[in-house]
Amino acid sequence: MRNSLRILAMGVALLALPGVTVAKGIKEPLRDGYYQALKGKKVAFLPGAMAMDLAIGWLAGLKSELEPQGVEIVVRDPNFNIQAGAQALTQLIAEKPDVIVVHNPDVTTYAKLIKQAEANGILIVQINMASLQKSTAYVGVDWVEMGAVQARHVVEACKGKSGKIAIVQGDLTAAASAYTMSGIESVLAENPDIKVVSNQSASWQSDKAKSITQTVLKQNPDLCGIIGFWDNMDRGTAAAVDEAGLSDQVYVATSGGGETKAACDMVKSGAYDLNVVYSVPNQGANLASTIKYLLSAGVKPGEISGQMYTTLTPVTAANAGDEGICWTMKQ
Amino acid sequence: MAHLNETLTRIRYRIWPDHVVGEILSKPWMETAIPVLVLVATFAILSWLVPGFFTFAQLSIIAREGGELGFIVLGLSIVIMAGGVDLSVGSIFAVTNFIVLLLMHEYEWSAAPAVAVTILAGMALGAVNGILIGYLRLRAFLTTLITLIIFRAVYEIWTADHATAIAMSLPDSATWDFLGIGLIRGIPVNVWLFAAVALACHVLLTRLRPGWHLMAIGGSRRAAYNAGIAVRRTIALTYVASGGLTAIAAIFFGARLASVGGNIGVGMEVTALTAAVLGGITLGGGRGSVTKAIVGLAIVLIITNGMTAYSASGGAIRMTLAAILVAAAVIDIRWIKNRHRIISSVYVSPDYLYLPPPPSCEAKPGNAWAVNDTLRGVDVIGLGEVEGPEDVILDRNDNLYSGSRHGDIVRFLAPDYKRMEIFAHIGGQPLGLAFDREDNLNVCVGGMGLYQVSPAGEVRKLTDETNRSWTSVNDDSRLRLADDLDIADDGRIFFSEATRRYEMSEYAVDALESRPAGRIICHDPRTGSTRTVIDRLRFPNGISMCDDGQSFLFAQTSAASVSRYWFDGPKKGRIEVLIDNLPGYPDNINKASDGNYWVALVGMRGPALDLAMRMPGFRKRMTQRLPFDEWMFPNINNGCVFKINLEGKVLYSLWDPQGINHPMITSMREHKGWLYLGGLSNNRIGRYKLPESEADPAYVQYARRWGLPT
Amino acid sequence: MHRFQLSQQMIVSVIFVLLFAGLSLLLPGFANTENLLTLLQNVAILGILGLGMAVIVIGRGVDLSMIASLAIPVALTLQLADAGHSTALAIIAGLALSALFGAANGWLIAYAEVPPLFVTLASGLFLAGLGQAFLFSTEAVVWPEPLQFLSAIGRGRLAGIPNSIWIFALVAVAVHAFLSRLTAGVFTYSMGDNPMAARLAGIPVRIMVIVQYVSSALIATLAGFVMAASVGSMSTRIYNSTWIYDVILVVVLGGIGLSGGRGSVTNVLIGTLLIGTLLNGLTILDVSFPVQNLIKGFVLLAAIMADTVLNPRNEETAQQGDI
């Protein structure tokens, strides 16, 4: 409203100028408002932990896109501790930044705080992991689709084989796990010949993933596919398959943020047959774009609520070497 | 010039309270000094680093977290103080958080029963630990490690089934919302509750019997068991308390966030343990307090919150916390180890005391102080049988009583005083003795107070405390060195307490200080009340009633003087110096048969010490630089008894300069023409036959004082 | 007069035998060589850590920082090698960090006289924080190409037996030799039994403490190398897990009392085998992770309860401060 008034005023001023006949040096009507809307704004970033490659990628995107516009970015690092995260978010609400980018540890912990923050006039953008509490924007992966994509590939690979697959989950209570699982289940429901022989949680730990996979492979030497929930953890899964000498027989599917070493290199080496990648730099750019839009449009919390799902790229041996599929973290 | 200097010294020592430093350092709460200093330092550094962080709004947020974590720290501290440890608090937190959310969100209970059931559930989980550790005697560390795993597994199994249902519903309860976000006077509701619970715990641990039992078990489990304390039950109850307090924390957490995330409570035991250790609560038990727990909690909260707000990385926060934890532990351990050493080097704080040159004791005619050999040939009673008869007294049947170092009152039977029996056992060393009208023997007992022994030998405590003086740092309500007493006509007992700064075994150090730290106290058996009547005396010692029934004489050993105090009558409240500048240090005073008073001199003054008394700084350096054995102490090995009248005139004195038969005299009692002599470090009682001209051979002090029995 | 008494070690052995027999009979696919090797391989790292912890516990200490010294020095080596430094330098840097860290632990315990529980609680936190804040940008450091020659310690087989089991066996023999053949081992027992008496007897107690904590740090780092080689990366996030509790349980469950002076390598092996068998059997049965933990917890509880019932402690013989 304020912006349009300003534009109107500018137009009136232009008309009032005598003898303006040539359209040279005409004032661009948007940029002043845009820069003013962004300048001096404060964006807070609350990841699960700054030690994750995802968080580093997102923060890099935010900084490169927003800082040149005069937006201040502050980071709070709860270091995987959700109580610390909740406390940091509570403190942020009292500090009143304009936007908080929240990476939820699960669907419930931050829900009340997100509601409280938006009630206090702070825009909440959720990244990659949506809370049950909807906020102004969600940027990130569609986990149900993620599960479905992996499951379809594994089902395809198991055609004509034993049909036995194993699932290596992260934390059972993590919502991403639950959503991914529902995606997998919907695909499996259409393929009754596929049998899940083991569905275990490795708590995001690679050594545990390896132990579980080793045991499962010993019990089911004819296993044809494994769906893992995170590529960093599934290094262990892949190592177990590799050690058992079953790399050709067992189709290993996993997912992750597309960092070269964790994704493309592993697919190239044959450790994973599939890594469904959500590009973290793209997510970072999406985040920044969303924030730019929200701030320049002067959106108030609660007025709108929208999603921006990240494109999922299945990385297989066929495209792992292609330019731009993976991204490399700067040290 | 020298004169001016001495005046300045005198004024400086009158104004500046040197003794306060040592007394403050020896307070039990000084153990918390290091954690408090760490807290102040972290607070100062962070408020400098993060400007505007410590605003009321931010502090309120920190306080709300503190009001949750605090309950856990408190519970854990209680367990640790009793000698255990509870690692399962994080898991109990998760389970009780789940239970309260299940009841509120899914089952839609109202807040009150849900809260009650949750606390009971927390106590039940704690009781599992308690029964295993308290009654079955399992090891706390391992057991709670295993229950940590079990409770966490239970939490994960339950949340897998109920997480969605809990997340999808919202309880419609104002009470519940109030618990989560409510403020009372701008301060979060849980902080108020925490303050109340912490206060209650503090009172429990320091003032009530169960708390003492708990600390006793932590201090020495075996000794507590042998003392008859219900060790097992008490230990079990500490875990129940820990579980219950953790449940309260979980309720507030649940009300605030309504989260059943997978990581809830993980690592919480480490945070709580860190807080407890930072506060200075010793693992293994016996040492700790609520204050320490809160100080430790505050340090952890300020560091984590402050550094997060400073945008520090998680790694940097961890490093800081670890560094402070180690530094605090190192300093705390050094402090605890060396505290008594520091105290002993600053506690002794000599005062300025000027005594004029003493009268001469040269053997010249007409000199009442003339040294003689009169007491050289005294009879000896109970040689080797009695140790440390500070005071001696005789009853109406001529039996002789005295105290002994073994905590007994011994009795030598008339007429020959060859047979000794133990009349009563009190426990502390009896000092001054006095019979009252009913034949009860009233006794001042060093380190214990004022006691009474009936004629049948039954011991009864009259008092061991007086009113606390508000200017004293030490809690001086308890009697440390009750010394001598006498009894007024109406039964009131006036007794002296030589010093409130030292125990009986260290009385010589008080003499070295010569600080006015003693007092005279009145115990009224009719009302049972005890009040200090004269304060700030320099080692008050002997007391003897005057015949007017309104006043008594008292000696101040360090001040080398005898004074008279009126407790009744027209001169009530007045003190008059009867005689000062005695050649030695007066001890007990007792009545002579001719109406005058016997005074014992326990030791002689010397010019070197008199000079040292005017140089407090010199004596201070001496106590700091020389070992105890090398210190300069007043002489206490000289036997002298003198007689004085109420005008303050010394009539004559009896001496034993060689100190062969009776080396030290602290008291004397005239009885039927004999003078009985006691000495604090003697192994005998002396008996001197007074010349007929100077003594009434029929004089019995009891009869003179209380009349003949009816 | 010889009175038969069931020790904790025997109780756990009995439980282990019963469990093993039961699983062999009831669970097809349990009692074959391959699965048993897998079982051992899965607990090899836990076992190695347990051996390091055993040395400390026998000397009446505890080392909660083992997971940090497992993760951070190894990750440092991997990162240095990846960044193009020579492999020798990378490995020496990792081991030096580990040894220095152990020495710092020992110094704080022996000379500053801070209880080991606090020292290692704090030092683990410190090392993990150091890694996060200054050494690594992300939690996971990948096993780099230049170190491929070393990856055999975690992968592959020798004489049909996985290499990690060989390493476990090697460490077990070394620790056994240390404890039972070397003077330092005898000193360790006497320190654990009565530190005061050991000191009066002229044993260099303080130096020994440093030796013990350096050895436990190095053993943990070795376990870290095996683990990183095995899965192809080192996740420093492992420090956040409650793994250290499993290590303590393996040690104590086997019968090494936390009050020190008792126990041997055999105890660690038995404890490790029991946990390994339990977890392997439950994984085969496809029991979910929380239920596995629940069952594990109850078996552990049963073991220490049996010990308490059979070897009751009473108020008269209890040691003060023995928690």
Side-chain angles (χ1 to χ4, degrees):
Chain A
M1 193 60 196
R2 206 174 57 199
N3 285 343
S4 42
L5 275 177
R6 203 172 289 149
I7 293 162
L8 197 68
M10 250 186 273
V12 172
L14 280 172
L15 285 175
L17 282 173
V20 182
T21 47
V22 190
K24 108 181 151 183
I26 189 169
K27 188 102 178 173
E28 201 262 352
L30 308 172
R31 56 191 305 270
D32 281 1
Y34 171 76
Y35 289 118
Q36 272 173 22
L38 262 67
K39 193 160 179 58
K41 289 287 190 290
K42 190 169 165 187
V43 173
F45 179 47
L46 179 67
M50 272 317 291
M52 298 170 91
D53 52 359
L54 305 175
I56 293 169
W58 295 329
L59 182 61
L62 286 174
K63 284 196 161 170
S64 69
E65 289 286 316
L66 293 177
E67 275 185 344
Q69 330 285 343
V71 177
E72 187 198 351
I73 294 173
V74 295
V75 183
R76 298 285 182 266
D77 183 4
N79 209 6
F80 295 113
N81 180 333
I82 68 169
Q83 272 117 283
Q87 184 69 9
L89 186 49
T90 315
Q91 280 184 5
L92 280 175
I93 294 171
E95 283 174 34
K96 284 196 182 297
D98 301 278
V99 181
I100 304 178
V101 179
V102 173
H103 181 212
N104 284 294
D106 54 58
V107 293
T108 56
T109 302
Y110 294 171
K112 276 194 163 184
L113 294 171
I114 289 171
K115 195 174 171 188
Q116 200 185 329
E118 295 230 302
N120 278 310
I122 303 167
L123 293 165
I124 297 283
V125 180
Q126 303 183 47
I127 172 82
N128 222 27
M129 179 67 231
S131 167
L132 286 170
Q133 175 68 38
K134 276 212 268 184
S135 67
T136 305
Y138 169 72
V139 178
V141 171
D142 173 2
W143 291 103
V144 179
E145 177 62 15
M146 170 68 85
V149 171
Q150 285 177 277
R152 276 196 288 272
H153 277 83
V154 172
V155 167
E156 189 64 30
C158 278
K159 283 230 172 86
K161 293 187 190 166
S162 65
K164 286 185 186 173
I165 67 163
I167 298 171
V168 182
Q169 296 200 34
D171 257 333
L172 287 182
T173 43
S177 293
Y179 296 150
T180 310
M181 210 44 228
S182 72
I184 294 172
E185 276 163 2
S186 66
V187 173
L188 293 185
E190 299 159 11
N191 296 279
D193 48 329
I194 301 290
K195 198 178 137 217
V196 179
V197 292
S198 163
N199 186 356
Q200 295 270 336
S201 154
S203 313
W204 306 125
Q205 287 173 25
S206 51
D207 63 302
K208 209 169 234 163
K210 187 179 181 186
S211 303
I212 291 170
T213 312
Q214 278 177 327
T215 309
V216 171
L217 286 174
K218 290 282 144 43
Q219 299 305 313
N220 306 284
D222 54 346
L223 199 77
C224 70
I226 299 176
I227 300 176
F229 277 30
W230 187 39
D231 51 14
N232 272 329
M233 168 181 81
D234 286 321
R235 279 177 181 279
T237 315
V241 174
D242 181 43
E243 270 183 61
L246 296 170
S247 296
D248 293 337
Q249 174 201 320
V250 180
Y251 189 90
V252 180
T254 184
S255 66
E259 207 276 327
T260 310
K261 277 184 193 156
C264 289
D265 287 359
M266 292 294 284
V267 175
K268 268 191 259 179
S269 74
Y272 306 143
D273 296 282
L274 168 75
N275 190 343
V276 183
V277 161
Y278 40 95
S279 166
V280 168
N282 284 355
Q283 287 185 319
N286 287 349
L287 257 184
S289 311
T290 309
I291 292 168
K292 280 181 188 169
Y293 176 74
L294 291 172
L295 287 178
S296 62
V299 171
K300 296 273 169 290
E303 286 176 4
I304 57 168
S305 176
Q307 292 77 41
M308 191 178 291
Y309 282 133
T310 315
T311 312
L312 298 178
T313 315
V315 178
T316 59
N319 63 354
D322 292 0
E323 192 73 24
I325 292 285
C326 285
W327 60 286
T328 309
M329 190 167 29
K330 290 184 194 73
Q331 287 294 332
Chain B
M1 204 53 209
H3 190 71
L4 178 67
N5 268 344
E6 189 164 336
T7 311
L8 288 176
T9 308
R10 198 185 70 229
I11 293 169
R12 174 229 172 286
Y13 279 92
R14 182 174 297 170
I15 294 171
W16 186 253
D18 297 82
H19 60 293
V20 169
V21 179
E23 292 186 359
I24 289 176
L25 279 178
S26 48
K27 281 293 208 187
W29 45 255
M30 277 308 285
E31 278 200 358
T32 320
I34 298 298
V36 169
L37 283 179
V38 173
L39 173 63
V40 170
T42 48
F43 193 88
I45 291 171
L46 277 168
S47 38
W48 172 63
L49 279 179
V50 195
F53 173 63
F54 292 103
T55 58
F56 185 77
Q58 289 289 3
L59 286 178
S60 171
I61 289 167
I62 297 176
R64 193 184 286 280
E65 193 192 12
E68 288 165 15
L69 190 59
F71 283 105
I72 298 171
V73 175
L74 208 55
L76 183 63
S77 301
I78 290 173
V79 171
I80 294 177
M81 280 183 242
V85 72
D86 189 354
L87 299 176
S88 67
V89 284
S91 297
I92 294 180
F93 181 80
V95 172
T96 45
N97 171 58
F98 171 82
I99 290 173
V100 76
L101 290 176
L102 181 79
L103 297 178
M104 290 301 301
H105 285 241
E106 195 176 338
Y107 297 166
E108 294 175 358
W109 286 24
S110 61
V115 165
V117 166
T118 306
I119 293 176
L120 285 177
M123 290 166 74
L125 292 175
V128 172
N129 286 332
I131 290 167
L132 290 173
I133 297 162
Y135 288 101
L136 295 183
R137 299 285 286 114
L138 268 58
R139 285 167 203 273
F141 194 88
L142 284 175
T143 310
T144 53
L145 207 55
I146 293 170
T147 49
L148 173 151
I149 294 172
I150 294 177
F151 295 159
R152 164 111 351 234
V154 167
Y155 172 72
E156 287 179 356
I157 292 166
W158 283 351
T159 43
D161 296 338
H162 295 275
T164 334
I166 287 174
M168 290 305 175
S169 68
L170 212 59
D172 180 27
S173 161
T175 320
W176 184 240
D177 291 341
F178 182 70
L179 289 180
I181 56 167
L183 300 169
I184 299 176
R185 291 179 182 274
I187 292 171
V189 52
N190 61 341
V191 176
W192 288 106
L193 185 69
F194 176 69
V197 171
L199 190 66
C201 282
H202 175 72
V203 171
L204 174 81
L205 286 172
T206 56
R207 301 287 187 276
L208 299 180
R209 194 177 303 248
W212 293 357
H213 285 180
L214 193 152
M215 295 302 274
I217 292 168
S220 172
R221 189 176 168 133
R222 194 183 308 174
Y225 174 77
N226 289 336
I229 294 173
V231 172
R232 295 181 173 206
R233 193 183 65 217
T234 310
I235 286 182
L237 286 176
T238 62
Y239 290 92
V240 175
S242 169
L245 289 169
T246 305
I248 297 176
I251 289 166
F252 285 113
F253 181 79
R256 184 160 64 98
L257 294 178
S259 160
V260 283
N263 280 332
I264 282 178
V266 171
M268 204 172 231
E269 68 281 353
V270 175
T271 313
L273 199 60
T274 305
V277 172
L278 273 176
I281 293 172
T282 312
L283 217 58
R287 215 165 62 77
S289 65
V290 171
T291 324
K292 288 183 177 186
I294 293 173
V295 169
L297 171 75
I299 296 173
V300 169
L301 288 175
I302 286 175
I303 291 175
T304 50
N305 284 286
M307 289 191 71
T308 309
Y310 186 54
S311 293
S313 74
I317 298 175
R318 279 182 166 170
M319 286 174 72
T320 311
L321 211 52
I324 290 184
L325 181 58
V326 166
V330 170
I331 299 170
D332 196 45
I333 281 162
R334 297 280 132 193
W335 169 237
I336 296 301
K337 205 172 161 180
N338 293 312
R339 181 166 158 257
H340 71 274
R341 211 178 294 168
I342 297 168
I343 291 170
S344 68
S345 80
V346 299
Y347 192 84
V348 179
S349 46
D351 198 9
Y352 173 87
L353 175 68
Y354 172 72
L355 295 174
S360 163
C361 300
E362 222 178 315
K364 280 192 299 194
N367 183 0
W369 290 115
V371 175
N372 50 52
D373 259 347
T374 322
L375 295 182
R376 187 175 194 169
V378 296
D379 296 350
V380 170
I381 298 171
L383 177 65
E385 288 181 284
V386 60
E387 260 189 76
E390 203 267 352
D391 198 6
V392 289
I393 198 164
L394 294 106
D395 66 11
R396 65 173 100 216
N397 303 319
D398 304 339
N399 297 314
L400 172 65
Y401 297 77
S402 87
S404 93
R405 201 168 59 80
H406 304 290
D408 299 322
I409 290 182
V410 297
R411 172 157 70 175
F412 293 91
L413 299 177
D416 54 0
Y417 307 117
K418 293 261 189 269
R419 261 180 56 218
M420 186 192 93
E421 63 181 21
I422 290 175
F423 173 58
H425 181 75
I426 297 180
Q429 175 158 15
L431 300 172
L433 305 168
F435 279 110
D436 65 12
R437 204 186 294 274
E438 284 80 36
D439 278 11
N440 295 311
L441 184 58
N442 296 279
V443 194
C444 283
V445 187
M448 289 175 74
L450 184 63
Y451 280 70
Q452 188 177 69
V453 186
S454 73
E458 290 155 357
V459 178
R460 172 165 93 86
K461 181 181 88 183
L462 291 182
T463 182
D464 59 1
E465 56 188 352
T466 177
N467 54 312
R468 194 193 191 295
S469 59
W470 295 108
T471 52
S472 166
V473 178
N474 278 351
D475 180 359
D476 60 357
S477 59
R478 194 155 275 272
L479 303 177
R480 293 181 96 164
L481 188 45
D483 198 334
D484 194 25
L485 74 165
D486 208 346
I487 301 166
D489 291 345
D490 55 10
R492 274 185 292 171
I493 302 170
F494 289 90
F495 62 101
S496 58
E497 187 184 28
T499 174
R500 71 189 79 183
R501 278 174 53 80
Y502 292 94
E503 300 301 330
M504 168 136 183
S505 58
E506 306 160 315
Y507 76 92
V509 183
D510 188 83
L512 177 75
E513 273 190 358
S514 289
R515 183 167 283 286
R519 51 192 170 176
I520 288 176
I521 299 162
C522 171
H523 172 72
D524 192 337
R526 294 166 301 186
T527 59
S529 69
T530 310
R531 305 287 303 172
T532 303
V533 291
I534 319 175
D535 205 349
R536 295 184 55 76
L537 298 175
R538 296 184 202 263
F539 213 99
N541 203 327
I543 290 189
S544 183
M545 283 293 156
C546 297
D547 286 335
D548 60 4
Q550 298 177 342
S551 62
F552 58 77
L553 300 184
F554 66 91
Q556 291 185 75
T557 304
S558 293
S561 72
V562 176
S563 310
R564 184 172 180 182
Y565 171 76
W566 280 266
F567 55 88
D568 262 341
K571 291 173 91 173
K572 181 175 178 179
R574 271 185 60 184
I575 302 174
E576 280 175 13
V577 177
L578 197 65
I579 183 171
D580 57 5
N581 197 27
L582 292 167
Y585 303 107
D587 204 309
N588 282 352
I589 307 176
N590 275 307
K591 202 158 284 171
S593 55
D594 57 3
N596 295 317
Y597 295 86
W598 291 110
V599 183
L601 284 187
V602 67
M604 298 307 291
R605 285 165 55 193
L609 192 70
D610 280 357
L611 182 62
M613 284 300 164
R614 294 157 62 184
M615 302 160 77
F618 160 74
R619 278 180 287 146
K620 177 84 185 168
R621 284 196 300 283
M622 175 182 78
T623 62
Q624 283 170 338
R625 297 184 191 171
L626 294 179
F628 183 79
D629 291 2
E630 311 277 327
W631 292 2
M632 198 174 187
F633 284 113
N635 166 304
I636 47 168
N637 277 317
N638 202 308
C640 174
V641 173
F642 67 92
K643 192 181 262 183
I644 189 172
N645 65 18
L646 274 181
E647 280 72 52
K649 182 172 163 27
V650 178
L651 302 173
Y652 61 87
S653 50
L654 312 172
W655 296 82
D656 180 18
Q658 263 73 37
I660 293 167
N661 258 356
H662 205 81
M664 177 198 198
I665 300 177
T666 53
S667 76
M668 68 271 109
R669 195 77 67 168
E670 189 181 333
H671 186 80
K672 291 189 174 170
W674 291 84
L675 195 61
Y676 293 83
L677 305 166
L680 180 60
S681 56
N682 287 353
N683 62 347
R684 67 198 76 184
I685 294 170
R687 186 160 90 132
Y688 167 68
K689 177 78 181 148
L690 291 164
E692 298 274 337
S693 59
E694 290 165 15
D696 172 6
Y699 173 76
V700 175
Q701 194 188 6
Y702 185 90
R704 169 80 165 268
R705 184 78 189 84
W706 302 116
L708 294 168
T710 48
Chain C
M1 275 296 285
H2 178 77
R3 194 163 139 263
F4 180 73
Q5 209 175 12
L6 267 177
S7 67
Q8 165 112 10
Q9 183 188 345
M10 291 173 75
I11 294 163
V12 175
S13 307
V14 167
I15 294 177
F16 166 65
V17 168
L18 288 177
L19 192 70
F20 194 86
L23 286 173
S24 306
L25 284 175
L26 301 174
L27 200 60
F30 175 80
N32 64 48
T33 327
E34 274 304 311
N35 185 54
L36 294 183
L37 285 177
T38 307
L39 183 161
L40 275 178
Q41 197 181 352
N42 288 346
V43 291
I45 293 161
L46 184 65
I48 296 174
L49 289 173
L51 290 166
M53 182 71 89
V55 174
I56 300 288
V57 172
I58 289 172
R60 199 183 274 190
V62 70
D63 189 353
L64 299 183
S65 67
M66 281 186 93
I67 304 300
S69 40
L70 169 143
I72 309 301
V74 175
L76 179 70
T77 299
L78 302 191
Q79 172 144 315
L80 286 177
D82 192 36
H85 296 282
S86 80
T87 50
L89 176 83
I91 293 169
I92 289 171
L95 292 179
L97 176 65
S98 169
L100 197 71
F101 177 70
N105 272 343
W107 186 85
L108 282 169
I109 293 162
Y111 290 88
E113 296 174 9
V114 183
L117 200 70
F118 299 159
V119 170
T120 55
L121 179 72
S123 67
L125 207 61
F126 188 85
L127 189 62
L130 182 79
Q132 272 188 327
F134 296 112
L135 302 181
F136 323 117
S137 49
T138 60
E139 45 156 333
V141 184
V142 173
W143 189 271
E145 196 57 41
L147 282 178
Q148 277 314 324
F149 71 96
L150 202 65
S151 63
I153 62 167
R155 287 178 182 226
R157 294 182 171 218
L158 186 69
I161 292 172
N163 289 344
S164 51
I165 301 181
W166 282 113
I167 305 263
F168 180 28
L170 220 61
V171 176
V173 170
V175 170
H176 178 73
F178 172 84
L179 285 175
S180 62
R181 293 283 177 274
L182 294 186
T183 320
V186 180
F187 284 179
T188 304
Y189 279 101
S190 44
M191 279 167 60
D193 211 31
N194 189 339
M196 226 41 189
R199 191 166 186 168
L200 292 176
I203 293 174
V205 170
R206 289 179 156 172
I207 303 293
M208 280 304 301
V209 168
I210 294 183
V211 168
Q212 286 160 11
Y213 282 88
V214 169
S215 76
S216 79
L218 287 175
I219 290 175
T221 305
L222 175 64
F225 273 113
V226 175
M227 187 169 134
S230 163
V231 298
S233 74
M234 171 52 74
S235 167
T236 54
R237 190 183 182 177
I238 194 165
Y239 175 76
N240 296 3
S241 72
T242 51
W243 222 30
I244 190 67
Y245 297 154
D246 286 345
V247 177
I248 295 176
L249 282 175
V250 159
V251 171
V252 179
L253 193 64
I256 301 182
L258 278 178
S259 46
R262 305 277 181 279
S264 67
V265 167
T266 331
N267 301 88
V268 182
L269 297 183
I270 288 171
T272 312
L273 284 178
L274 176 67
I275 297 280
T277 309
L278 198 64
L279 295 186
N280 182 273
L282 294 172
T283 308
I284 293 176
L285 288 167
D286 198 18
V287 173
S288 78
F289 184 54
V291 180
Q292 283 192 16
N293 275 337
L294 191 65
I295 295 171
K296 183 174 86 180
F298 279 117
V299 172
L300 297 175
L301 197 57
I304 63 168
M305 278 174 73
D307 179 46
T308 309
V309 171
L310 293 170
N311 305 308
R313 302 194 299 161
N314 62 41
E315 310 299 346
E316 291 300 321
T317 59
Q319 263 180 333
Q320 190 62 28
D322 174 19
I323 56 171

